[in-house]
Amino acid sequence: MDFSSGDVEAAVMRPTVPVAGGGAAVGPSALLRGWREFRRSAAPARFLCFEDGGWADVAGEAVRQLRRAFQDRRAMAEAACGGRAYLFDFLRMVRIDAATGEETALAWIDDRGACFFPAPGGGGRKRRRDDAPAEDEAESSSGVDERSGESRGAEDAAAKRMKASGAWGKSAAARLEESGKYYQVVSKLFLSYGMASRGAVITAVRKVGQGARARAFQQQGQLLAATRGAAVGTPKFAWYGASAEDVAAVVERGFARTNAARLGGRKHGDGLHLSPPQCPYTSAMLAKADGSGEAHIVLCRVLMGRPEVVQAGSSQSRPSSDAYDSAVDKLENPQWYVVWSKDMNTRVLPEYVVSFKCPKLQPIQGSSEATSKPKKPSPGRDMFPTLLAEIEQLVPDKCDILQEYYSNFKMGQIKKDQFIRFLRSYIGDKVLTTVATKLRGC
């Protein structure tokens, strides 16, 4: 396999359709997301259903009927396709067979070219409404177990287990034999681009367990290929560097926060920073060695979609428009790939952890590392960006809606007191008090 280009064969997987009856109910967060997307979308120009392993256009008179229903802001509509009657549910993004109750994923592309596809999940088969989901299909749509308020505690627990055992559990990351094929390929990739000349010595290579995360990643590749083109949906290899505690948490549960803070003013937005396969040293500088001098870096597959250039020092935290999916520092020979926090658990798939020692490694010390003491706010300064950044570290699954409401506030669509009331009701006073105490430096 040629690692130098960073390309790998695209994986294809069916999207999952949530079950409305007889199985796990659609939760409030899923309905809220569906309603928000429904309200945000312009009139659809195309409707698509996932059939026979790919997205196929809805054709004929049904398109006109569905478009009219959408413009009338009806959440559901009936239409016939191929001689069969269906119910189209725009909020849950499913097409339901009126005769069998079988559900199929539904998507659309609106008049402005914006794409609206269902969130990824496990499983990936057509289901009748009374089918119970498989056990591994009940996991969260991000491909990791997301329980509100436990992200930081999970990282601490992972760090303690790692410190006690000197390794991750076998189920999370299995240590490879040095004579094995994949050990040789990964170690060669790591050492071939300047790490060996800097005196790096590999102490271990581990294969990361994947499961639902891999399915979510594969589905995202399929969705990107359907909307942006096959080449755009092709994954690339990339390196992720962070502290040992963060690496252990990523292996066991997924990404809870980005590593942008370690870059300080050199960050290209508030997203997850990864370096191309031929630039391991760039990400290795974000790693933090432990007391024994051992550090860790993760070889991942990443779906970049269509990237845009984001300048160093930017605080951008999402695509600037629907035309983009991710970011880079420059389009030609980029040194940084940037995946936004809302996508980091579905478009980045950890594959191998390389543990190493490198006496000549010079770690980057960002001016605003997560471990450093926050600066006290100056009078008259807009503290909401700082406040939201701290909140997103505690409850990363809520960052998308938070940023949407903050954008509405900045554009004058809602008042300051309304935004504050929303924060209190959506985040909770306990989290806000914790963040406020931290920002005051108490």
Side-chain angles (χ1 to χ4, degrees):
M1 183 180 294
D2 180 12
F3 286 98
S4 61
S5 66
D7 293 332
V8 296
E9 183 179 357
V12 177
M13 178 66 81
R14 296 172 180 248
T16 293
V17 175
V19 179
V26 178
S29 60
L31 286 177
L32 178 61
R33 176 187 180 276
W35 175 249
R36 190 171 70 249
E37 296 290 84
F38 180 60
R39 292 289 301 272
R40 185 169 69 90
S41 174
R46 295 170 57 191
F47 290 93
L48 305 97
C49 290
F50 197 90
E51 297 180 296
D52 299 324
W55 289 99
D57 280 273
V58 176
E61 179 65 16
V63 177
R64 187 186 64 81
Q65 295 173 344
L66 295 176
R67 180 180 169 90
R68 178 176 296 176
F70 204 101
Q71 289 174 318
D72 293 341
R73 286 314 188 202
R74 284 183 276 152
M76 293 185 179
E78 296 181 43
C81 301
R84 300 185 68 87
Y86 295 100
L87 177 65
F88 291 79
D89 185 336
F90 299 130
L91 296 189
R92 293 195 303 123
M93 294 186 172
V94 293
R95 185 195 68 184
I96 306 168
D97 190 310
T100 66
E102 195 172 67
E103 298 183 353
T104 302
L106 171 68
W108 63 85
I109 302 174
D110 70 13
D111 289 335
R112 300 170 300 185
C115 303
F116 297 84
F117 283 77
R125 60 186 177 90
K126 289 185 177 180
R127 293 202 292 236
R128 295 180 182 272
R129 291 176 65 87
D130 56 351
D131 282 348
E135 181 178 351
D136 62 357
E137 292 180 40
E139 298 187 44
S140 68
S141 63
S142 66
V144 296
D145 182 18
E146 294 179 353
R147 283 170 280 187
S148 178
E150 294 186 8
S151 297
R152 186 65 256 173
E155 293 179 30
D156 294 339
K160 290 178 180 178
R161 287 194 295 273
M162 182 180 171
K163 185 175 181 180
S165 63
W168 294 278
K170 290 183 178 180
S171 60
R175 185 163 183 157
L176 302 182
E177 296 292 335
E178 293 187 18
S179 58
K181 172 185 175 181
Y182 293 106
Y183 181 101
Q184 295 294 326
V185 171
V186 174
S187 61
K188 181 179 180 180
L189 178 65
F190 178 73
L191 295 172
S192 294
Y193 295 97
M195 293 302 295
S197 62
R198 291 179 169 90
V201 176
I202 293 176
T203 56
V205 175
R206 296 178 176 87
K207 179 71 176 77
V208 180
Q210 295 171 350
R213 282 191 288 194
R215 291 191 291 274
F217 180 84
Q218 290 166 345
Q219 290 167 24
Q220 282 291 302
Q222 162 68 19
L223 295 178
L224 284 172
T227 56
R228 305 290 198 197
V232 176
T234 302
K236 298 178 180 295
F237 276 107
W239 297 102
Y240 164 77
S243 66
E245 293 83 358
D246 282 349
V247 169
V250 166
V251 167
E252 294 199 2
R253 292 178 60 89
F255 297 95
R257 60 182 178 183
T258 74
N259 55 359
R262 290 189 61 75
L263 283 163
R266 287 169 282 186
K267 67 179 182 178
H268 294 267
D270 291 326
L272 193 74
H273 284 61
L274 306 100
S275 60
Q278 66 272 21
C279 303
Y281 185 73
T282 308
S283 284
M285 290 190 296
L286 297 181
K288 291 177 68 175
D290 58 21
S292 67
E294 187 178 56
H296 311 275
I297 189 173
V298 186
L299 181 62
C300 307
R301 281 189 290 162
V302 56
L303 291 163
M304 292 297 292
R306 184 179 296 161
E308 62 181 310
V309 175
V310 173
Q311 300 301 320
S314 171
S315 59
Q316 182 175 331
S317 60
R318 58 175 57 204
S320 61
S321 74
D322 290 332
Y324 301 108
D325 305 295
S326 60
V328 290
D329 59 331
K330 53 185 178 179
L331 292 177
E332 294 294 330
N333 299 317
Q335 298 299 303
W336 287 117
Y337 299 148
V338 181
V339 178
W340 305 120
S341 58
K342 68 184 182 67
D343 299 319
M344 61 188 182
N345 277 312
T346 55
R347 294 184 181 176
V348 181
L349 182 65
E351 292 272 12
Y352 298 93
V353 178
V354 177
S355 301
F356 65 98
K357 293 184 177 181
C358 185
K360 297 181 181 179
L361 183 67
Q362 298 294 325
I364 291 177
Q365 298 295 332
S367 60
S368 58
E369 281 194 44
T371 55
S372 64
K373 188 175 181 179
K375 295 180 179 180
K376 293 186 178 181
S378 57
R381 177 185 170 194
D382 180 6
M383 282 302 299
F384 280 123
T386 304
L387 180 69
L388 295 181
E390 294 295 335
I391 289 174
E392 288 171 12
Q393 289 188 21
L394 298 176
V395 283
D397 54 313
K398 296 186 176 183
C399 65
D400 196 17
I401 294 178
L402 278 176
Q403 289 294 342
E404 182 174 342
Y405 270 79
Y406 178 64
S407 296
N408 291 340
F409 163 68
K410 292 291 285 184
M411 291 186 292
Q413 296 178 0
I414 60 175
K415 296 180 180 179
K416 183 176 181 179
D417 60 334
Q418 292 176 313
F419 181 59
I420 293 174
R421 284 200 301 270
F422 163 76
L423 275 179
R424 294 187 64 181
S425 62
Y426 187 60
I427 302 301
D429 288 337
K430 184 177 180 180
V431 173
L432 288 176
T433 300
T434 301
V435 172
T437 301
K438 181 178 180 181
L439 292 177
R440 286 196 300 265
C442 299

